[in-house]
């Protein structure tokens, strides 16, 4: 049984890493997938081709979702192609790490714009289509850093914590409209980014994780698929960590 049959899903930052696996998993569950990318055109096109070969309806859209006009372009393209929008997964994000005392204002702003303002823009426009359809699933990808903080990532932590507060507010606004909004906070996930860590860094990271290992993108995407489905119709305003127990209180 496919839990997302006939559902139209938009995934931002879908060309690589966790976003790519989210797109694949939503497609495997029967969803039509709109693949958003900013700069990774070849990777996005390759993913689109892969989905098409599997018989999945898909659309690849270039949009810098940190810009309101581009975010609108993405949502408009999805609705124009599929006549509706059921699921929005806000996954796009960047880092510009640095200690607070020497952090450049432009690095602060770039992270806030890409990680947090983009979520506001896409949700603002997608919610209109969801309200017309009387159905919606908004799933925002935050981070354990948004729960715990991290030295050298004040901008990233602020953006990811902001997503949590934003999502709870959206969940309250739409709770009676059959539109849910939830947050996923991944911890250390095995992606190209974490593969750049040296052995000492990996060991230090795993020492903080009760399960003593990194997660996989599939660990995140399976939860996305559940929250996107009718199975999670009574789940809203929740923040769920996928981190092997790292952020456990």
């Amino acid at each position: 049984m496919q839990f997302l049959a006939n559902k139209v899903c938009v995934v931002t930052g879908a060309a690589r890493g966790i976003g790519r696996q989210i797109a694949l998993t939503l497609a495997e569950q029967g969803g039509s997938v709109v693949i958003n990318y900013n700069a990774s055109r070849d990777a996005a096109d390759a993913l689109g081709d892969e989905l098409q070969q599997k018989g999945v309806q898909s659309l690849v859209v270039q949009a810098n979702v940190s810009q309101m006009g581009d975010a609108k372009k993405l949502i408009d393209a999805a609705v124009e192609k599929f006549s509706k929008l059921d699921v929005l997964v806000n996954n796009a994000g960047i880092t510009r790490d640095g200690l607070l005392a020497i952090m450049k204002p432009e690095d602060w702003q770039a992270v806030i714009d890409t990680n947090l303002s983009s979520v506001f823009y896409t949700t603002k426009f997608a919610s209109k289509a969801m309200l017309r359809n009387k159905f919606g699933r908004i799933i925002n990808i935050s981070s354990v850093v948004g729960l715990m903080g991290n030295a050298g990532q004040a901008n990233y932590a602020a953006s990811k914590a902001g997503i949590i507060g934003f999502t709870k507010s959206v969940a309250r606004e739409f709770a009676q409209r059959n539109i849910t909004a939830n947050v996923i906070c991944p911890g250390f996930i095995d992606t190209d980014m974490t593969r750049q860590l040296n052995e000492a860094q990996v060991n230090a990271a795993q020492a903080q994780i009760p399960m003593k290992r990194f997660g996989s993108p599939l660990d995140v995407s399976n939860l996305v698929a559940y929250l996107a489905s009718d199975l999670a119709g009574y789940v809203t305003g929740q923040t769920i960590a996928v981190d092997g127990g790292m952020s456990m209180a």
Side-chain angles (χ1 to χ4, degrees):
M1 177 180 178
Q2 292 181 313
F3 296 119
L4 298 175
N6 302 315
K7 295 290 191 292
V8 176
C9 311
V10 171
V11 183
T12 70
R16 299 179 180 276
I18 292 173
R20 182 179 190 279
Q21 184 59 60
I22 289 171
L24 287 169
T25 299
L26 296 180
E28 289 166 2
Q29 288 300 323
S32 301
V33 181
V34 179
I35 301 162
N36 161 249
Y37 74 98
N38 182 24
S40 303
R41 178 176 180 176
D42 290 345
D45 286 341
L47 177 58
D49 290 342
E50 181 177 346
L51 294 185
Q52 294 282 2
Q53 289 169 10
K54 293 179 178 180
V56 176
Q57 288 190 311
S58 65
L59 176 67
V60 178
V61 180
Q62 190 282 329
N64 179 354
V65 289
S66 71
Q67 304 298 315
M68 185 169 66
D70 270 22
K72 185 177 187 301
K73 179 184 76 171
L74 168 63
I75 301 305
D76 287 349
V79 174
E80 181 178 354
K81 170 73 173 178
F82 296 107
S83 300
K84 64 171 186 169
L85 196 166
D86 300 295
V87 179
L88 171 65
V89 184
N90 282 305
N91 169 76
I94 62 170
T95 58
R96 294 287 187 274
D97 296 350
L99 295 175
L100 180 63
I102 59 173
M103 182 176 288
K104 298 177 181 178
E106 55 266 34
D107 288 341
W108 167 273
Q109 197 61 54
V111 170
I112 295 297
D113 288 346
T114 302
N115 297 5
L116 180 57
S117 296
S118 66
V119 177
F120 162 64
Y121 297 144
T122 56
T123 304
K124 177 180 175 65
F125 296 120
S127 64
K128 295 178 181 179
M130 292 175 176
L131 286 167
R132 287 196 299 269
N133 199 35
K134 298 180 180 180
F135 179 91
R137 297 286 185 265
I138 299 164
I139 303 157
N140 296 326
I141 308 301
S142 178
S143 168
V144 293
V145 174
L147 297 171
M148 301 170 61
N150 194 33
Q153 289 193 308
N155 49 3
Y156 187 75
S159 70
K160 293 301 188 178
I163 287 172
I164 295 171
F166 173 83
T167 305
K168 289 178 181 291
S169 297
V170 169
R172 290 184 182 278
E173 286 191 24
F174 294 138
Q176 296 183 359
R177 304 294 189 93
N178 200 29
I179 298 172
T180 65
N182 293 285
V183 183
I184 298 175
C185 293
F188 283 96
I189 304 297
D190 182 17
T191 62
D192 290 341
M193 183 180 297
T194 55
R195 291 183 198 121
Q196 295 176 9
L197 300 175
N198 60 41
E199 184 177 356
Q201 290 171 321
V202 170
N203 291 338
Q206 291 180 344
Q208 303 176 58
I209 305 170
M211 296 185 75
K212 303 303 180 187
R213 63 176 178 84
F214 289 178
S216 76
L218 195 60
D219 292 320
V220 179
S221 67
N222 283 339
L223 179 55
V224 171
Y226 165 70
L227 292 173
S229 75
D230 292 336
L231 297 174
Y234 200 55
V235 180
T236 196
Q238 300 307 302
T239 302
I240 306 172
V242 181
D243 65 357
M246 181 179 172
S247 62
M248 197 185 316

